[in-house]
Amino acid sequence: LIQKDFLQVNLPRSPFCVVSNIPYSITTPILGKLLDHPAIPLQRAVFVVEKGAAKRFTTSPVTNPRILKWRMWFHMEMGRTISSKHFSPPPRVDSAVLTVWRKRNFAVSLHHHARFKALAAHSLKYPQLPVDEALKDVFTPPQMKRLAHNLKIDRNAPICSLTEIQWGVVFNTMIQYVKPYRWPK
């Protein structure tokens, strides 16, 4: 055991797991430290977090680019709810178990994580925009037509309705067919 501020600890370089009751006020920074860079060898984690945060990290559609990025490389699942009365002193909100584990197959290569984050941030700026509209600065109209066909989606569907697999198709299509000057920065 290391008694130290987790945000100041150097993470292991070999595969590791985490089990923690996270302080609610720093849930996102802790998850960010563990998940922002998917090459960090986190294999599995089980957290007790504020229930609202667990819902935000696991619900679909995903409207937050950072959460989408995490979910490209990690499964996130909300488990049982824990009533606030089971804590002393009781918090004002209920808690939930959040389980995170590394995916075996990635839709986007690990070394592209920063470039994927840029695409997600660009595309989800307005999550309810149609796919066509959200991606028009990246893909040319003929490329968009082919992409929509490959995704098997209505081009008027909101961009936030894409699954992680579909986001992988969008990203990999961009890398393969779109001129780099059109890639989001």
Side-chain angles (χ1 to χ4, degrees):
L1 293 177
I2 300 171
Q3 291 192 357
K4 202 172 185 183
D5 179 346
F6 181 78
L7 296 174
Q8 304 304 315
V9 171
N10 291 326
L11 295 175
R13 293 183 182 186
S14 57
F16 67 98
C17 298
V18 175
V19 177
S20 178
N21 179 356
I22 296 179
Y24 297 165
S25 62
I26 58 171
T27 298
T28 301
I30 288 174
L31 288 182
K33 182 171 177 113
L34 292 166
L35 306 177
D36 278 348
H37 301 285
I40 290 172
L42 174 69
Q43 301 303 301
R44 187 173 174 87
V46 179
F47 304 109
V48 174
V49 298
E50 188 265 324
K51 185 178 179 180
K55 283 183 179 179
R56 195 169 60 254
F57 299 140
T58 59
T59 59
S60 291
V62 180
T63 58
N64 180 304
R66 189 177 194 189
I67 294 170
L68 173 62
K69 182 183 171 217
W70 294 346
R71 288 173 55 175
M72 294 302 292
W73 288 279
F74 296 94
H75 292 286
M76 301 180 89
E77 185 176 291
M78 184 172 126
R80 70 185 311 179
T81 297
I82 305 168
S83 170
S84 62
K85 69 182 179 184
H86 293 295
F87 293 86
S88 180
R92 294 184 201 148
V93 295
D94 286 339
S95 303
V97 175
L98 176 67
T99 306
V100 176
W101 65 97
R102 180 174 293 280
K103 291 182 176 181
R104 290 186 188 270
N105 299 310
F106 308 132
V108 173
S109 173
L110 287 175
H111 72 276
H112 284 308
H113 77 91
R115 189 162 283 133
F116 178 81
K117 181 181 178 185
L119 174 67
H122 173 83
S123 304
L124 288 172
K125 194 175 291 183
Y126 303 102
Q128 296 304 321
L129 274 181
V131 171
D132 247 7
E133 187 71 20
L135 296 173
K136 74 178 183 180
D137 296 339
V138 179
F139 294 92
T140 64
Q143 289 170 335
M144 191 64 237
K145 183 177 181 181
R146 174 164 280 211
L147 178 63
H149 175 74
N150 290 344
L151 291 172
K152 298 175 178 53
I153 59 162
D154 174 1
R155 293 163 58 169
N156 292 313
I159 190 73
C160 67
S161 68
L162 296 180
T163 66
E164 285 94 359
I165 301 248
Q166 289 171 321
W167 276 106
V169 170
V170 170
F171 181 81
N172 291 314
T173 301
M174 179 188 81
I175 294 295
Q176 188 170 2
Y177 296 109
V178 174
K179 301 276 187 205
Y181 75 87
R182 294 183 67 108
W183 297 354
K185 306 271 184 273

